[in-house]
Amino acid sequence: MNFDSFSFDQRIVTGIIGCGYTIPTPIQVRAIPEVLSGRDVMGLAQTGTGKTAAFALPILQRLLTSNAPKQGPCRTLVLAPTRELALQIHENFISLGKQTGIRSAAVFGGVGANPQIKAANKATVIVACPGRLIDLLNQGVLKLDQVDTLVLDEADRMLDMGFMPDIKRILARLPATRQNLLFSATMPHDIRELAGKILVNPATVQVANTAPATSVGHTFYPVHPQLKVGLLEALLDVTKYDSMLIFTRTKHRAKNLARKLSFRGHEATFLQGNMSQNQRQRALDGFKDGTFKVMVATDIAARGIDCDRITHVINFDVPDTAETYTHRIGRTGRAGRSGMALSLVTKEDERLMREIEKIVGRQIDRRKVEEFDYDQPLKSVPGMDRRGPAPAKHKKTYGSDKRRPAAPTRRRTTKAPVRTKR
Ligand code: AMP
C-alpha cells in the first residue's frame, strides 16, 4: 500500500514527499481512513510508529476540504504532555502541511506567553500542553469555540503527569460536537475511563507493539548487581556506537549514573521527570545533535526522545515488564537502520529474561565482556552470591571506583570494535 490510496490533496502529497515518506506505517494505514471519515478514534500506538502523521495528514485533508480559514480561528486542538512532544507535533504539521498554508502554533510553559498568544490566535491548528493552555484560556486571550477536532496524544502519559483536571477544564471550553482522537501507548483503567467519557462510537486502531522491531539485535550480559557500573563502562569502551540510550529504573539512578559516566570522561547526560523545561531541552538538544553521545533516562522521561541516531539501547536495569522492554528498544533500529539492545541482567531478573525471550521469539545470547574483571571483590551483602562468568584472561579492573583513574581527560574520539565473547 502507498499514500496514493488515501487520495490526499496534491498539496499534502507534496508535504509527504518532502518528509521522505513513501510507504504508510501500519498505524497510518489503519487510522487515516477512520480519521478522514470523521469518526472518533482510539489509537493504541507509541511514539516511533508514525502516529503523528496518522492524525496530522487526515486532519490537514479535512481542513482543506472544509475550506477552513488558514489563519485561525483554531479548528484543531492537539493536547500533548510535554513541550518537546508538542514541538515535534507542531513541526510535523508544519512540514506535512507546508504547501497548504494552514498555520500551526505550539503553546507550552517555561517561555514567554506573548509570542505564543499571537501565534495561537492566527493558527488553525494549536498543539498545546494543558497547563499553559489553561492559563491562556483563563486570561481570556485565546478562544477555542470553533474547535471541531480534538487530539489527546500520549494520553496515558498526560494522566501520569497529573493533567486530568486540566484536561477536564479544557474539554469544558470546547464545542460539544467534535471529532475526538485519543492516542495512548498503553490502555490502563483510567485511559479506558477517559475514552468512555469523550469518545463516541470510536474506531479502535492498534498496532502490534508487542513484537520488537526485527532490525534490533538483543544480548544479555549477566552480572552481579554490584558490578553493573563497571560492566557498563567496559561495554562503553568496547562498543562502537553513535548514540546510546541507557535506561535505569529510578530517577535517582539515572542522574547518578550519568554523573558517574561524565566524570569518567564520557559525553553523558540524563533525562528524568524532576528537571526544569530548560534543563530537559538542553539535554534533549545535546543528545539529538550529538554533543552528548550517551543519555541516561527513566522510562517515562524517555518517551519524548525522538532521535534517529540511537544505535544502542542499554538496559542498565531490566524493565519491569516485557512490554516496557519493547518500548525501550523501539528507540533504536529506527528509520531503516539496525540497532542493538544490550541488557545487564542479574540473577533476580531471570523471570523477566524469559518473558523478554518469549516476546522476541527466540533465546537471547548471554555474553561476557572479555576485558571485564568479573572476579573482583564484592562488598559483602548478606544473601547475595556471585553470579556468573569465569575470570577473564586480560583483566582490566573496571568496576572499582578507586582503581580506575578519574579521567575527564579520557575523552575518546575513536572507539574500538566490539570485542565480546560468549
Ligand atoms: P512518530 O511516531 O509520529 O513520532 O514518528 C516517528 C518517526 O517516523 C518520525 O521521525 C516521523 O517523521 C517518521 N515517519 C512517520 N511516518 C513515516 C512514514 N510513513 N515513512 C517513514 N517515516 C515516517
Side-chain angles (χ1 to χ4, degrees):
M1 184 176 201
N2 60 30
F3 281 101
D4 292 347
S5 41
F6 302 122
S7 307
F8 284 128
D9 184 285
Q10 195 50 46
R11 290 164 283 181
I12 296 177
V13 173
T14 311
I16 296 172
I17 295 168
C19 286
Y21 305 168
T22 47
I23 298 166
T25 65
I27 189 77
Q28 290 163 1
V29 170
R30 305 204 46 205
I32 289 172
E34 302 292 356
V35 182
L36 280 174
S37 76
R39 226 177 135 176
D40 281 7
V41 169
M42 170 76 231
L44 276 161
Q46 68 202 67
T47 295
T49 54
K51 71 175 162 56
T52 314
F55 60 79
L57 287 169
I59 285 175
L60 287 167
Q61 176 70 26
R62 280 170 63 79
L63 288 169
L64 285 180
T65 44
S66 66
N67 275 325
K70 298 194 167 67
Q71 304 207 356
C74 176
R75 294 275 303 270
T76 295
L77 174 67
V78 183
L79 294 180
T82 60
R83 159 176 157 165
E84 55 269 16
L85 185 62
L87 274 170
Q88 269 170 40
I89 299 168
H90 164 64
E91 280 158 14
N92 253 267
F93 267 101
I94 304 243
S95 41
L96 291 169
K98 207 169 189 171
Q99 302 295 320
T100 65
I102 292 169
R103 284 209 193 198
S104 167
V107 167
F108 47 78
V111 290
N114 284 341
Q116 291 185 358
I117 297 170
K118 225 165 140 185
N121 276 301
K122 284 192 193 152
T124 309
V125 176
I126 294 179
V127 187
C129 297
R132 170 59 65 90
L133 186 67
I134 285 283
D135 288 347
L136 302 192
L137 293 173
N138 287 345
Q139 287 169 39
V141 291
L142 186 64
K143 283 204 164 53
L144 296 175
D145 53 0
Q146 301 293 311
V147 169
D148 54 22
T149 307
L150 169 72
V151 184
L152 296 178
D153 197 15
E154 293 209 357
D156 51 351
R157 197 165 162 212
M158 281 202 277
L159 299 197
D160 246 16
M161 291 169 79
F163 282 134
M164 192 61 199
D166 284 349
I167 291 172
K168 278 189 184 151
R169 277 182 224 126
I170 293 165
L171 289 176
R173 309 282 190 117
L174 304 181
T177 312
R178 51 169 203 263
Q179 183 180 22
N180 300 290
L181 315 175
L182 195 155
F183 286 85
S184 184
T186 56
M187 192 71 173
H189 176 73
D190 48 3
I191 290 292
R192 268 176 225 282
E193 217 172 77
L194 180 69
K197 275 187 197 137
I198 65 168
L199 302 178
V200 183
N201 184 28
T204 300
V205 296
Q206 180 168 13
V207 287
N209 57 9
T210 41
T214 49
S215 53
V216 178
H218 311 261
T219 310
F220 286 155
Y221 287 90
V223 65
H224 188 282
Q226 283 187 25
L227 302 181
K228 273 185 173 184
V229 176
L231 180 62
L232 174 66
E233 278 204 78
L235 262 174
L236 285 172
D237 278 352
V238 300
T239 303
K240 194 167 183 295
Y241 60 92
D242 190 357
S243 292
M244 184 178 275
L245 180 58
I246 302 176
F247 284 94
T248 62
R249 209 164 277 154
T250 66
K251 297 175 192 177
H252 184 68
R253 275 159 88 82
K255 189 169 166 178
N256 275 351
L257 187 57
R259 289 198 166 151
K260 265 186 197 150
L261 294 177
S262 316
F263 183 68
R264 309 276 168 85
H266 298 282
E267 293 122 333
T269 185
F270 65 95
L271 201 62
Q272 43 103 318
N274 296 348
M275 295 161 83
S276 72
Q277 277 285 17
N278 284 342
Q279 288 173 320
R280 238 181 120 71
Q281 202 59 44
R282 262 203 307 276
L284 281 166
D285 290 347
F287 189 53
K288 213 168 169 177
D289 69 22
T291 310
F292 298 117
K293 299 264 181 248
V294 177
M295 164 80 87
V296 190
T298 56
D299 288 297
I300 289 251
R303 284 228 211 138
I305 297 172
D306 177 28
C307 176
D308 284 342
R309 64 199 305 156
I310 299 172
T311 49
H312 289 73
V313 165
I314 297 207
N315 294 305
F316 182 78
D317 296 317
V318 173
D320 293 338
T321 63
E323 195 193 13
T324 309
Y325 180 83
T326 310
H327 283 207
R328 287 184 178 183
I329 67 155
R331 299 285 160 191
T332 186
R334 289 169 79 166
R337 300 191 194 119
S338 58
M340 282 304 297
L342 317 180
S343 305
L344 308 194
V345 293
T346 69
K347 221 169 172 178
E348 291 71 41
D349 298 326
E350 256 154 31
R351 184 187 54 80
L352 278 161
M353 288 156 68
R354 279 195 300 276
E355 273 186 39
I356 292 167
E357 287 181 321
K358 226 188 268 168
I359 217 166
V360 169
R362 63 184 158 79
Q363 211 188 358
I364 294 177
D365 280 354
R366 272 81 170 153
R367 292 192 187 175
K368 299 175 196 169
V369 178
E370 204 179 322
E371 291 81 354
F372 182 65
D373 176 12
Y374 286 89
D375 271 356
Q376 60 192 277
L378 302 172
K379 279 183 249 156
S380 81
V381 179
M384 288 247 197
D385 61 356
R386 181 181 295 281
R387 180 187 175 89
K393 278 186 202 127
H394 311 289
K395 283 183 195 167
K396 247 180 162 182
T397 47
Y398 297 115
S400 157
D401 290 2
K402 291 191 192 94
R403 278 179 283 172
R404 193 86 196 279
T409 49
R410 223 192 87 249
R411 236 165 242 274
R412 283 163 295 117
T413 47
T414 52
K415 295 187 174 76
V418 182
R419 280 172 291 149
T420 56
K421 70 169 189 182
R422 275 160 215 258

